[in-house]
Amino acid sequence: MTLYSCCLILLVFSWNTAAYGPNQRAQKKGDIILGGLFPIHFGVAAKDQDLKSRPESVECIRYNFRGFRWLQAMIFAIEEINSSPTLLPNMTLGYRIFDTCNTVSKALEATLSFVAQNKIDSLNLDEFCNCSEHIPSTIAVVGATGSGISTAVANLLGLFYIPQVSYASSSRLLSNKNQFKSFLRTIPNDEHQATAMADIIEYFRWNWVGTIAADDDYGRPGIEKFREEAEERDICIDFSELISQYSDEEEIQQVVEVIQNSTARVIVVFSSGPDLEPLIKEIVRRNITGKIWLASEAWASSSLIAMPEFFRVIGSTIGFALKAGQIPGFREFLQKVHPKKSTNNGFAKEFWEETFNCYLPDGSKNSPTSASFHKGHEESLGAGNGTSAFRPPCTGDENITSVETPYMDYTHLRISYNVYLAVYSIAHALQDIYTCTPGKGLFTNGSCADIKKVEAWQVLKHLRHLNFTNNMGEQVDFDEFGDLVGNYSIINWHLSPEDGSVVFEEVGHYNVYAKKGERLFINENKILWSGFSKEVPFSNCSRDCLPGTRKGIIEGEPTCCFECVDCPDGEYSDETDASACDKCPEDYWSNENHTSCIPKQIEFLSWTEPFGIALTLFAVLGIFLTSFVLGVFTKFRNTPIVKATNRELSYLLLFSLLCCFSSSLFFIGEPQDWTCRLRQPAFGISFVLCISCILVKTNRVLLVFEAKIPTSLHRKWWGLNLQFLLVFLCTFVQIVICVIWLYTAPPSSYRNHDLEDEIIFITCHEGSLMALGFLIGYTCLLAAICFFFAFKSRKLPENFNEAKFITFSMLIFFIVWISFIPAYASTYGKFVSAVEVIAILAASFGLLACIFFNKVYIILFKPSRNTIEEVRCSTAAHAFKVAARATLRRSNVSRKRSNSLGGSTGSTPSSSISSKSNHEDPFPLPASAERQRQQQRGCKQKVSFGSGTVTLSLSFEEPQKNAVANRTTKRRNSLEAQNSDDSLMRHRALLPLQ
């Protein structure tokens, strides 16, 4: 069985060797062999395998100059290590390098040779096979390029734990260590690249893009990760297509139609250069311009795509490139390549022929045909498809530096440096094995591997624990997923003004180590859009919503397609394309454009506004007028008019009116806690004091005049001290109400945001509306009682009692405060205070005008009426009316009684009153004489009541010493009040009562 297995493996190996002749590999013997997989060609020739004959290996076409340079980087690194005195001394590294032709099938062919040799060594068949040309096992493989190819290779190598270190496969699927146990790489995985692409789109504020991906293990996972990142950033994808270099023309046409009809200008492409090339050619043919291409690392610097003839359609390309490295001496090594000198490199011959467009006559494949050769670029057909008539023979003296090809483009060594780093990673792992100290090794019981008999799985173990410093001073260590975390350079395609070639201008970088939000840096000044423009293109489904608006969803459309909706009042947006409007803080409101919040307008009854000024002026006017009246009354305090109005209570009444006018000022200005707590009590107490004074003085006069005979009880009851006591008691009740209010629910200032959105009304929160109702209700109750007494005393002498005017003032008071209640309830904000101020001023002016203006007018402008005679005359007339009514009432009663007894005639009461019913004086005096007589002797008044007119004549000459006068004086004294200055009582006493 063992012999059978040996033969089978040898058969596979021999077939593999036959397919890969000497010119199809680069091989060098050594103590330890490293394998290499590089895309020396871009693809294979399409061939119909009808199986009518034995299948032949497909032929590789389209030479890849960059792939050959990467191969040279591996050879350079191995030769550098072999010549190093410190790294693997006394050990020689060999290599076996194969061409993958950028296809899975060719890559697996090469991989089988690695596996087969390792399997032969593991079987120890030297005694059976007698292999004189024995080649050591391949302990590690450098490659491959494409992620799809590396996936297939990794599955095979992983079965035998042969470490694979890729330099260009970035698919994030390869980080799955459960599936790809032996895979490592010196290139960052695409997860960071996809995130960086989404960050770039977000940076330029694009949200409407298309995606294209290679239909392999590189494109599909990369674009899937990009979709995840785009969704997090609200980036919408208009279309998503898959491509391949083997897609038929119809499929390519369909993808181009989608691109042409799409409104998305930004196209994200996760693909390699060979897979993208057919699509770009068709786009160029149709001349579809104006698109922005966001390129993944695999094609961002591909010479297959970066061609001057393609620039008009892909000139806006922004791509990712790996961080460039430095390889000292590599430039000179590249220049030394020659078919005759590079005996170990079977690919040198074809490279020479493709570089100089000639053919070398010796060799099995010496008749290359160029079907579509482009000097200085990667696209050219390989040899073997034609005759030598198309190319001249090579001399061998051609100068490699005289030809511009991607092979000599060593200015930005990215993939080449990754190859260099991969070889050194394997070498340092071998160095760790070489220098391992027993007891400190990585294997069982700290054992070490034998460098002379090292196996692949032992190298893999040391690679996983690798940690060394490269030639650039950077630390190299693979993470748990076998990845190296690296940074990206961001490049923009420019057209060189010198030779018209496409150059890659570095315009930024992406640092994966930085914090989120700080990883991307772009220098926009270096970017040229479409090769010449500095203006950032627009790639959004909808136009940007300006600040002050938000994005509104359109039904049936992606979220990136929206309409701009104005922010509602009280909300704002200060950024473009806001998803939602933000609410302003409580004390702020949105401005007219809804782009920011401004402080809300503060509203209160201000001293400076016209309305506040007008109310203040009226309050000051009231204070001035009240002070003026008080001054007049003080100056003329001994005149009959002032005395007749109970001047002490009048002074107190005027003081209370001053308080009423002053209390209105507490309602003006910005409400503070102390003003809120002071204004209602001040208003309530002031008005109660005022009404109490009016009530007491009005009720006192009414009781005195209606009393038939003033007694000592009347004098005691209506003394001046008791009057003040009653005023105090009435006012004290209001004070108690205010104290309870302030203690239980004190008013306070309040910022009201609810009445109008953009205005803050600073008002007073009354604390308790019930307490306010009690305060006003008690005031109105006193006013109603006062009105009642004033109405009853409306016919008293005008000189003594302002009953009619008090009645009018109480009517005004009630009208004002009855109107105040609905007005107070229906207004808001500062107008609440204004309504109350108006009510206070109106009521105060009504009281002041009705009670005092008439008296001030008489005092100042009618001094003739401010005499004792005028007062006495008025008093006498009132007394006569009362007496006459009483006399007539008794007369009518007597007459009715006489009639009921038999018709007897009652006598008319005798009196000194002279009466004429409906008759004039038979001997009237002239008017002037009559006035003179009245001034000399007293007054004569006509009093109309009942059915006639009574003329009352009184004489105010010096009192005569007779009995009648004595009786009159005694009667007068009996009617006087306690206050000797009370003119009302003295004047009434002058009335004869016979």
Side-chain angles (χ1 to χ4, degrees):
M1 183 66 184
T2 306
L3 181 61
Y4 174 77
S5 301
C6 175
C7 294
L8 178 62
I9 295 173
L10 286 176
L11 177 64
V12 173
F13 182 69
S14 62
W15 179 82
N16 211 353
T17 304
Y20 280 84
N23 292 333
Q24 292 180 306
R25 73 173 67 185
Q27 180 173 304
K28 183 180 180 180
K29 294 181 179 181
D31 298 324
I32 298 174
I33 300 298
L34 303 183
L37 298 173
F38 294 92
I40 308 303
H41 295 84
F42 282 115
V44 295
K47 194 172 184 180
D48 184 18
Q49 300 286 356
D50 56 5
L51 301 180
K52 291 181 179 180
S53 61
R54 184 183 181 89
E56 297 179 0
S57 178
V58 293
E59 185 178 11
C60 298
I61 59 174
R62 301 168 64 202
Y63 196 80
N64 183 2
F65 288 96
R66 292 178 69 202
F68 184 70
R69 188 180 74 217
W70 301 339
L71 179 148
Q72 288 286 78
M74 180 175 176
I75 295 175
F76 174 79
I78 291 175
E79 292 186 0
E80 193 175 60
I81 292 169
N82 288 336
S83 62
S84 172
T86 57
L87 191 59
L88 296 176
N90 303 320
M91 298 290 295
T92 303
L93 295 180
Y95 53 83
R96 285 196 297 156
I97 304 173
F98 295 97
D99 180 12
T100 64
C101 299
N102 204 36
T103 60
V104 172
S105 59
K106 287 293 184 181
L108 288 177
E109 272 186 63
T111 306
L112 281 173
S113 70
F114 302 142
V115 173
Q117 183 62 48
N118 284 25
K119 195 62 180 174
I120 292 173
D121 289 346
S122 66
L123 294 175
N124 288 322
L125 297 178
D126 291 346
E127 55 180 307
F128 299 101
C129 297
N130 190 21
C131 301
S132 59
E133 296 294 329
H134 174 67
I135 301 175
S137 300
T138 303
I139 54 92
V141 176
V142 176
T145 307
S147 295
I149 298 173
S150 287
T151 300
V153 171
N155 280 319
L156 184 54
L157 293 178
L159 295 175
F160 305 96
Y161 291 92
I162 300 174
Q164 174 189 358
V165 184
S166 175
Y167 49 84
S169 299
S170 56
S171 173
R172 64 190 182 117
L173 296 180
L174 292 168
S175 296
N176 185 352
K177 294 299 105 178
N178 292 325
Q179 184 176 358
F180 308 105
K181 303 177 180 64
S182 62
F183 181 84
L184 303 98
R185 53 186 161 190
T186 57
I187 184 174
N189 70 48
D190 289 331
E191 186 164 354
H192 297 297
Q193 187 175 185
T195 303
M197 284 182 167
D199 286 345
I200 286 180
I201 292 174
E202 186 179 32
Y203 176 85
F204 288 110
R205 307 184 69 84
W206 297 324
N207 64 13
W208 191 236
V209 301
T211 63
I212 296 174
D215 191 10
D216 56 21
D217 288 339
Y218 169 73
R220 288 191 301 268
I223 213 67
E224 181 183 352
K225 176 62 178 178
F226 171 78
R227 286 199 197 98
E228 295 174 2
E229 295 291 335
E231 186 176 354
E232 291 181 4
R233 294 164 173 79
D234 293 328
I235 299 170
C236 297
I237 297 176
D238 183 28
F239 63 87
S240 186
E241 299 292 335
L242 296 176
I243 59 173
S244 172
Q245 62 176 319
Y246 303 110
S247 299
D248 57 35
E249 186 176 350
E250 184 179 349
E251 292 174 339
I252 296 296
Q253 294 282 354
Q254 184 179 356
V255 174
V256 172
E257 287 287 343
V258 172
I259 294 173
Q260 191 170 15
N261 296 329
S262 173
T263 56
R265 295 189 62 188
V266 175
I267 302 175
V268 179
V269 182
F270 255 97
S271 174
S272 62
D275 286 325
L276 184 62
E277 183 187 19
L279 178 67
I280 295 298
K281 284 183 176 180
E282 180 61 24
I283 291 175
V284 171
R285 189 185 69 80
R286 295 196 184 192
N287 195 27
I288 302 175
T289 59
K291 302 295 183 181
I292 300 105
W293 299 85
L294 195 53
S296 65
E297 174 276 329
W299 73 274
S301 57
S302 173
S303 56
L304 274 179
I305 311 299
M307 301 177 67
E309 53 266 35
F310 296 167
F311 190 80
R312 70 178 186 274
V313 298
I314 56 173
S316 295
T317 299
I318 293 180
F320 290 88
L322 299 175
K323 184 179 179 181
Q326 297 177 2
I327 307 177
F330 186 52
R331 176 180 181 181
E332 292 76 13
F333 179 79
L334 292 177
Q335 294 174 354
K336 291 179 182 179
V337 64
H338 194 280
K340 295 180 179 180
K341 297 178 181 179
S342 304
T343 56
N344 296 322
N345 192 344
F347 301 103
K349 177 179 178 294
E350 186 178 1
F351 164 75
W352 198 266
E353 292 175 339
E354 295 296 332
T355 301
F356 298 105
N357 195 23
C358 63
Y359 74 94
L360 294 171
D362 55 353
S364 60
K365 293 185 179 181
N366 55 2
S367 302
T369 300
S370 177
S372 178
F373 178 77
H374 298 279
K375 185 179 180 181
H377 300 283
E378 289 169 322
E379 181 178 349
S380 61
L381 296 179
N385 292 338
T387 64
S388 61
F390 292 95
R391 288 183 177 178
C394 301
T395 64
D397 297 329
E398 292 86 359
N399 185 4
I400 193 67
T401 59
S402 64
V403 181
E404 291 185 6
T405 64
Y407 171 76
M408 293 300 296
D409 183 13
Y410 46 79
T411 54
H412 299 287
L413 299 177
R414 295 185 172 92
I415 300 298
S416 299
Y417 184 76
N418 284 355
V419 174
Y420 181 81
L421 190 60
V423 174
Y424 265 87
S425 297
I426 298 172
H428 277 279
L430 293 172
Q431 178 70 13
D432 290 342
I433 295 174
Y434 182 79
T435 58
C436 177
T437 302
K440 296 183 179 179
L442 299 178
F443 304 104
T444 306
N445 298 323
S447 61
C448 297
D450 186 359
I451 189 63
K452 295 182 180 181
K453 296 181 180 181
V454 65
E455 297 184 38
W457 65 271
Q458 294 171 328
V459 178
L460 177 61
K461 178 68 173 179
H462 278 270
L463 279 171
R464 291 178 178 177
H465 294 82
L466 184 67
N467 192 333
F468 74 100
T469 303
N470 62 14
N471 66 323
M472 296 179 63
E474 298 173 344
Q475 201 70 19
V476 177
D477 60 329
F478 296 100
D479 61 17
E480 58 182 325
F481 304 109
D483 299 336
L484 286 182
V485 180
N487 298 326
Y488 291 99
S489 297
I490 300 173
I491 59 175
N492 181 222
W493 289 13
H494 291 185
L495 203 60
S496 174
E498 299 174 357
D499 56 5
S501 62
V502 178
V503 295
F504 310 119
E505 180 72 21
E506 186 170 336
V507 296
H509 61 265
Y510 188 83
N511 185 2
V512 298
Y513 297 100
K515 295 187 298 183
K516 189 175 182 179
E518 299 178 0
R519 297 173 181 171
L520 179 66
F521 169 77
I522 292 180
N523 187 350
E524 292 189 50
N525 295 325
K526 291 185 177 182
I527 298 179
L528 292 179
W529 304 102
S530 300
F532 61 88
S533 176
K534 287 286 187 179
E535 183 180 357
V536 178
F538 179 82
S539 184
N540 295 57
C541 183
S542 302
R543 284 288 172 183
D544 294 344
C545 287
L546 299 177
T549 62
R550 64 170 178 86
K551 295 187 291 187
I553 297 175
I554 301 176
E555 188 175 355
E557 295 290 338
T559 56
C560 298
C561 301
F562 50 82
E563 58 183 353
C564 297
V565 181
D566 291 335
C567 291
D569 291 338
E571 297 183 8
Y572 75 101
S573 66
D574 56 358
E575 59 183 13
T576 305
D577 279 347
S579 299
C581 298
D582 298 322
K583 285 190 175 182
C584 292
E586 187 179 23
D587 291 345
Y588 289 80
W589 193 249
S590 54
N591 60 1
E592 185 177 356
N593 297 326
H594 299 279
T595 56
S596 63
C597 290
I598 56 177
K600 285 185 178 181
Q601 181 181 349
I602 304 296
E603 284 283 345
F604 55 86
L605 191 58
S606 173
W607 298 100
T608 57
E609 64 176 290
F611 198 27
I613 293 173
L615 293 177
T616 303
L617 291 177
F618 276 107
V620 172
L621 177 63
I623 294 172
F624 171 75
L625 292 177
T626 305
S627 301
F628 175 75
V629 172
L630 182 60
V632 170
F633 267 55
T634 303
K635 183 177 181 180
F636 297 95
R637 60 185 176 276
N638 294 321
T639 60
I641 289 293
V642 176
K643 288 182 177 182
T645 56
N646 197 339
R647 61 187 174 191
E648 287 77 9
L649 283 180
S650 295
Y651 294 155
L652 187 59
L653 176 59
L654 288 170
F655 171 75
S656 66
L657 285 174
L658 280 175
C659 294
C660 290
F661 283 114
S662 300
S663 68
S664 65
L665 298 177
F666 290 113
F667 292 84
I668 304 174
E670 181 177 354
Q672 304 290 337
D673 286 346
W674 68 273
T675 57
C676 290
R677 293 168 185 170
L678 185 61
R679 65 181 192 174
Q680 296 291 7
F683 141 72
I685 295 172
S686 300
F687 265 96
V688 165
L689 179 61
C690 177
I691 301 300
S692 300
C693 292
I694 298 173
L695 175 62
V696 170
K697 66 182 293 188
T698 304
N699 191 38
R700 175 181 174 276
V701 174
L702 179 63
L703 291 177
V704 169
F705 270 92
E706 288 188 351
K708 297 179 180 179
I709 300 177
T711 63
S712 60
L713 181 61
H714 288 99
R715 298 188 188 98
K716 180 180 180 181
W717 182 255
W718 290 110
L720 186 61
N721 293 333
L722 188 58
Q723 296 174 37
F724 284 123
L725 178 62
L726 291 176
V727 171
F728 170 75
L729 290 176
C730 292
T731 307
F732 181 74
V733 174
Q734 186 77 304
I735 293 174
V736 171
I737 293 174
C738 293
V739 169
I740 295 174
W741 181 9
L742 294 177
Y743 180 77
T744 57
S748 60
S749 62
Y750 170 64
R751 299 171 73 89
N752 195 330
H753 300 81
D754 301 329
L755 298 177
E756 291 190 20
D757 293 329
E758 68 276 14
I759 300 176
I760 299 176
F761 290 98
I762 303 181
T763 59
C764 283
H765 187 272
E766 301 300 349
S768 173
L769 290 178
M770 182 181 294
L772 179 62
F774 275 118
L775 184 141
I776 297 177
Y778 178 69
T779 305
C780 292
L781 176 64
L782 292 181
I785 298 173
C786 184
F787 175 79
F788 172 75
F789 287 122
F791 182 80
K792 287 191 65 175
S793 61
R794 67 189 183 281
K795 296 182 180 180
L796 294 181
E798 294 179 358
N799 302 63
F800 296 99
N801 196 311
E802 55 277 11
K804 292 180 181 179
F805 299 107
I806 291 176
T807 304
F808 288 139
S809 67
M810 291 300 104
L811 285 175
I812 293 173
F813 184 88
F814 277 117
I815 292 171
V816 168
W817 290 106
I818 290 174
S819 302
F820 164 77
I821 294 173
Y824 185 88
S826 60
T827 54
Y828 60 89
K830 66 180 182 180
F831 300 106
V832 174
S833 298
V835 165
E836 193 160 358
V837 171
I838 293 172
I840 293 172
L841 294 179
S844 301
F845 274 114
L847 294 173
L848 179 65
C850 292
I851 296 176
F852 291 103
F853 281 5
N854 181 54
K855 296 177 178 54
V856 172
Y857 175 77
I858 293 175
I859 293 172
L860 297 180
F861 301 105
K862 298 291 183 179
S864 60
R865 296 179 58 186
N866 191 15
T867 59
I868 189 64
E869 291 81 5
E870 185 71 19
V871 172
R872 287 173 178 173
C873 181
S874 176
T875 304
H878 174 74
F880 175 75
K881 290 179 185 179
V882 174
R885 287 193 186 97
T887 302
L888 289 177
R889 197 161 43 247
R890 287 195 299 269
S891 175
N892 291 334
V893 171
S894 299
R895 187 180 300 110
K896 290 179 181 179
R897 186 180 300 158
S898 299
N899 292 334
S900 63
L901 294 176
S904 60
T905 303
S907 60
T908 302
S910 63
S911 163
S912 63
I913 299 175
S914 171
S915 172
K916 292 186 179 181
S917 179
N918 296 326
H919 294 284
E920 297 293 333
D921 190 351
F923 303 104
L925 294 176
S928 60
E930 180 66 19
R931 284 195 301 270
Q932 181 178 5
R933 185 172 69 86
Q934 288 186 9
Q935 291 175 1
Q936 291 176 355
R937 299 186 56 83
C939 66
K940 182 176 182 179
Q941 296 188 8
K942 292 182 179 181
V943 182
S944 299
F945 64 93
S947 60
T949 300
V950 178
T951 301
L952 173 65
S953 298
L954 295 175
S955 175
F956 299 127
E957 295 178 355
E958 291 296 324
Q960 299 177 2
K961 304 297 183 179
N962 51 47
V964 176
N966 290 337
R967 287 195 303 271
T968 302
T969 301
K970 291 178 182 180
R971 189 64 175 272
R972 180 195 64 198
N973 292 336
S974 67
L975 296 176
E976 285 183 349
Q978 180 177 335
N979 187 354
S980 61
D981 291 334
D982 193 336
S983 58
L984 175 62
M985 304 305 298
R986 291 200 306 270
H987 296 165
R988 186 179 182 191
L990 295 175
L991 182 65
L993 299 175
Q994 289 86 353

